[in-house]
């Protein structure tokens, strides 16, 4: 069993839905990102089921994977989008996404990005500082528009996750400290081109328990009640994203378990009518993708065995950046298994940090294909061209059919816009 139901071995060969991965490697080359359409749909269904009949708007945190085919699939399923840049806004508009279902997050929104989002008519700006609040009001005034606003509050809760992806502690750069939030709302209420519509938090990523969400919710409920006492009534409560996925053997928090508890808490405070917004990224796409790579060389040094593959840290930076674990599956399991050795899976980039997995028992030969699992989220979107390596192609598998949703970049495209001095 792999961590992802749509990527399973059949007759000893790893498939993406109904397509054997060696076929894709043969046709499109490696390294190659391969996604499963059904896995996207299944992940979406878990949120839909969790929402029951309540007013829940899921805004896909598209920074996890912003390929147009991926976001279009979610659009078709009814998703909104959590964006963090003018670039992500442009992607949603390019697929005809509904701006009324876009929430705009991020600590550093520039004036041009605010303008573009106001002109598009986004549902809400998740504002993260007083400076941003003042700028948003000014930009909206210039355009003669009202800017819908939610404050991203930093509730100071520990999400028990990796420090780089924990965002709800008071030492993080994100959000407005919960103790200052009331004052900032009061200020917002005096501004002519701001319309207060909600409150927001996002406490971190790869969270596997409900407790941090519920702690944050308690603090937000206090705030909502204080605001109501001053005549400031909110339409929505945005709990951000962050639900974790199984990279190996993590216990999972399901959207259903989380939302059941959220609804119960809100109902008990008479807040059952608030619209709930969620901004899941990883949990919608993480296990819907793999990175397919070929073994170029096996190298046995006195201290280590290395499998040098054709994917590298520029294609998937999570291992070296976060010490993240990704399962590695041999695409073809051998009949007469040679003794498995313990390998570090490394790429060709000139950095010791260029590794994808460490100390994995595998039986390998040169030319073998490996699948780096759980590579649907924060994988292609964090890729770079380091070492002048073109980004891999991206393929979406739908049953027996493979669609190229982004071709492999050409080498020439890497420098076509550069120029030498006269
Ligand atoms: N909303 C906001 C405001 C966010 O900052 C994020 C992620 C999300 C939603 C989506 O969170 P998710 O459901 O995917 O956990 N590159 C890191 C993850 C960084 C997450 C950044 N913010 C990684 O590869 O683990």
């Amino acid at each position: 069993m792999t961590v992802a139901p749509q990527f399973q071995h059949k007759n000893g060969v790893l498939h993406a839905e109904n397509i054997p991965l060696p076929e894709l490697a043969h046709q499109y080359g490696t390294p190659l990102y391969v996604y499963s359409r059904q896995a996207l749909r299944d992940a979406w269904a878990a949120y839909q089921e969790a929402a029951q009949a309540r007013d829940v708007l899921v805004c896909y945190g598209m920074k996890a994977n912003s390929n147009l085919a991926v976001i279009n699939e979610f659009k078709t399923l009814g998703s909104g989008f959590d964006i963090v840049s003018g670039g992500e806004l442009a992607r949603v508009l390019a697929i005809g996404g509904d701006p009324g279902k876009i929430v705009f997050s991020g600590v550093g929104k520039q004036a041009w990005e605010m303008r573009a989002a106001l002109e598009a008519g986004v549902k809400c700006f998740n504002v993260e500082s007083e400076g941003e609040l003042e700028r948003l009001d000014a930009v909206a005034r210039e355009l003669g528009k009202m800017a819908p606003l939610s404050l991203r509050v930093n509730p100071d809760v520990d999400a028990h996750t990796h420090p780089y992806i924990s965002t709800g502690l008071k030492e993080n750069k994100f959000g407005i400290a919960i103790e200052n939030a009331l004052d900032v709302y009061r200020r917002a209420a005096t501004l002519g081109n701001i319309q207060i519509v909600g409150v927001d938090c996002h406490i971190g990523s790869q969270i596997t328990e409900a407790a941090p969400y519920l702690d944050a919710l308690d603090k937000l409920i206090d705030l909502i009640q204080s605001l109501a006492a001053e005549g400031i009534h909110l339409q929505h409560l945005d709990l951000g994203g962050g639900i974790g996925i199984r990279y190996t053997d993590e216990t999972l928090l399901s959207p259903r378990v989380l939302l059941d508890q959220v609804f119960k808490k809100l109902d008990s405070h008479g807040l059952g009518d608030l619209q709930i917004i969620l901004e899941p990224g990883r949990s919608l796409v993480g296990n819907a993708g793999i990175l397919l790579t070929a073994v170029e060389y096996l190298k046995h040094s006195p201290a280590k065995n290395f499998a040098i593959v054709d994917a590298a840290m520029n294609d998937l930076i999570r291992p070296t950046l976060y010490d993240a674990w990704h399962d590695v599956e041999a695409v073809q399991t051998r009949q007469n298994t040679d003794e498995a050795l313990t390998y570090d899976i490394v790429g060709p980039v000139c950095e010791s940090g260029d590794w994808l997995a460490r100390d994995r028992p595998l039986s390998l030969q040169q030319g073998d294909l490996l699948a780096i699992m759980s590579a649907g989220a924060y994988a292609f979107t964090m890729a770079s061209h380091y070492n002048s390596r073109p980004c891999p192609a991206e393929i979406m598998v739908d049953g027996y059919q493979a669609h190229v949703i982004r071709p492999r970049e050409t080498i020439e495209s890497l420098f076509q816009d550069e120029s030498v001095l006269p």
Side-chain angles (χ1 to χ4, degrees):
M1 265 303 262
T2 72
V3 286
Q6 273 76 34
F7 296 90
Q8 294 298 331
H9 282 93
K10 298 173 194 169
N11 304 320
V13 181
L14 190 60
H15 284 57
E17 300 196 10
N18 297 323
I19 303 186
L21 289 174
E23 273 181 24
L24 295 179
H26 180 71
Q27 190 161 359
Y28 303 107
T30 53
L32 188 69
Y33 276 104
V34 182
Y35 308 121
S36 153
R37 182 182 205 180
Q38 190 58 45
L40 300 180
R41 291 174 169 170
D42 290 353
W44 175 262
Y47 278 91
Q48 210 162 30
E49 193 245 343
Q52 301 166 59
R54 312 272 294 227
D55 185 5
V56 176
L57 175 63
V58 175
C59 292
Y60 167 51
M62 62 182 283
K63 64 174 79 65
N65 187 325
S66 53
N67 185 290
L68 296 193
V70 172
I71 63 175
N72 191 60
E73 188 66 28
F74 288 125
K75 179 195 87 173
T76 307
L77 291 167
S79 188
F81 297 95
D82 167 46
I83 63 166
V84 290
S85 69
E88 288 188 348
L89 174 63
R91 283 179 179 269
V92 177
L93 298 180
I95 57 153
D98 177 1
K101 289 184 180 175
I102 293 177
V103 296
F104 192 174
S105 302
V107 291
K109 298 177 197 77
Q110 298 175 45
W112 72 268
E113 293 177 307
M114 290 176 171
R115 247 174 252 125
L118 281 166
E119 270 158 6
V122 300
K123 178 178 175 68
C124 183
F125 290 84
N126 291 339
V127 163
E128 304 214 19
S129 66
E130 290 171 81
E132 186 191 337
L133 171 64
E134 303 295 334
R135 179 184 282 179
L136 181 60
D137 179 55
V139 172
R141 193 174 326 114
E142 270 168 36
L143 296 179
K145 293 193 185 279
M146 293 297 285
L149 168 122
S150 166
L151 289 188
R152 175 167 175 185
V153 170
N154 184 330
D156 192 23
V157 298
D158 188 349
H160 302 133
T161 184
H162 190 285
Y164 281 19
I165 53 177
S166 184
T167 51
L169 283 168
K170 60 172 180 276
E171 58 264 37
N172 298 133
K173 71 176 175 183
F174 299 100
I176 292 168
I178 185 93
E179 58 268 34
N180 300 337
L182 194 55
D183 276 345
V184 182
Y185 270 110
R186 286 181 184 131
R187 171 70 186 149
T190 68
L191 296 174
N193 292 76
I194 295 288
Q195 185 199 359
I196 297 171
V197 294
V199 65
D200 163 49
C201 73
H202 169 80
I203 56 175
S205 205
Q206 186 57 17
I207 299 170
T208 54
E209 47 185 330
Y213 285 102
L214 299 174
D215 291 349
L217 182 59
D218 283 335
K219 296 189 178 185
L220 292 184
I221 287 173
D222 282 351
L223 176 62
I224 292 167
Q225 288 174 330
S226 306
L227 288 168
E230 301 197 10
I232 299 175
H233 298 283
L234 306 184
Q235 297 157 24
H236 74 244
L237 165 63
D238 180 342
L239 288 171
I243 290 185
I245 61 164
R246 185 165 285 143
Y247 284 98
T248 170
D249 57 0
E250 293 89 341
T251 49
L252 291 186
L253 168 63
S254 73
R256 178 68 189 256
V257 165
L258 175 62
L259 279 189
D260 276 351
Q261 297 179 72
V262 168
F263 294 150
K264 207 183 285 169
K265 230 182 230 299
L266 289 174
D267 290 347
S268 72
H269 288 87
L271 294 171
D273 288 342
L274 274 179
Q275 181 186 45
I276 301 299
I277 297 179
L278 298 173
E279 304 170 354
R282 188 190 322 262
S283 52
L284 285 175
V285 292
N287 269 328
I290 60 147
L291 175 58
L292 188 59
T293 183
V295 176
E296 295 284 349
Y297 301 103
L298 297 176
K299 178 165 163 175
H300 307 283
S301 76
K304 284 263 183 192
N305 298 304
F306 294 102
I308 301 170
V309 298
D310 60 7
M313 65 188 288
N314 72 296
D315 304 307
L316 177 66
I317 202 169
R318 301 193 71 257
T320 191
L321 187 57
Y322 311 116
D323 211 4
W325 175 283
H326 286 257
D327 272 0
V328 176
E329 298 272 339
V331 168
Q332 265 152 322
T333 43
R334 285 225 162 68
Q335 290 305 321
N336 302 321
T337 314
D338 320 321
E339 273 297 285
L341 294 177
T342 301
Y343 283 99
D344 279 12
I345 315 297
V346 302
V349 164
C350 304
E351 301 256 357
S352 295
D354 181 23
W355 57 276
L356 299 171
R358 283 180 163 157
D359 298 328
R360 305 301 171 91
L362 288 162
S363 165
L364 293 179
Q365 286 174 12
Q366 200 168 307
D368 279 2
L369 290 171
L370 295 174
I372 315 291
M373 306 303 290
S374 311
Y378 304 111
F380 187 93
T381 49
M382 293 178 78
S384 76
H385 294 136
Y386 189 37
N387 278 208
S388 284
R389 288 169 50 86
C391 287
E394 294 177 283
I395 305 290
M396 178 87 74
V397 170
D398 183 11
Y400 289 92
Q401 219 179 342
H403 301 269
V404 179
I405 58 173
R406 195 176 199 274
R408 184 174 306 284
E409 289 178 341
T410 62
I411 301 251
E412 295 68 33
S413 73
L414 299 184
F415 52 81
Q416 70 190 6
D417 295 328
E418 299 176 15
S419 49
V420 297
L421 297 190

